Amino acid sequence: MKKSEMTPQQPQIELSKTTAVETESGGKIWQQGFVLRKVSRFITNSPEDAVMPIPVFYDPDTGKILGQGLPPEIRGDYDTI
């Protein structure tokens, strides 16, 4: 089996056909950070609770998280745009 057959092909995206995602104040620059979620030791099957980092983008002026970057089931837990 060829290597190209083993890995799924990524779609070719033309950047000229994309649109900017603006902050609430009309800015175009976002900061990257993490939200941390605690995971019970009973779920991880380990002696202690674990911490799971979730990467997010947030507005540097307001601190609000870009909601589209969060899993839908936890969006309500954060102040999002």
Side-chain angles (χ1 to χ4, degrees), residues 1-3 8 10 12 17-19 21 23-24 28 33 36 39 41 51-52 57 59 67-68 72-73 76-77 80:
M1 183 179 293
K2 295 179 185 177
K3 186 176 181 180
Q10 294 292 328
Q12 297 297 317
K17 296 190 179 187
T18 64
T19 57
V21 177
T23 65
E24 279 188 322
K28 291 184 169 60
L36 301 176
V39 183
R41 66 179 188 253
V51 175
M52 180 174 69
F57 291 101
D59 181 341
Q68 294 170 320
E73 54 270 347
D77 293 349
T80 61

Side-chain angles (χ1 to χ4, degrees), residues 36-42 44 46-53:
L36 301 176
R37 303 288 292 192
K38 189 186 298 187
V39 183
S40 168
R41 66 179 188 253
F42 300 111
T44 62
S46 62
E48 297 179 356
D49 290 345
V51 175
M52 180 174 69

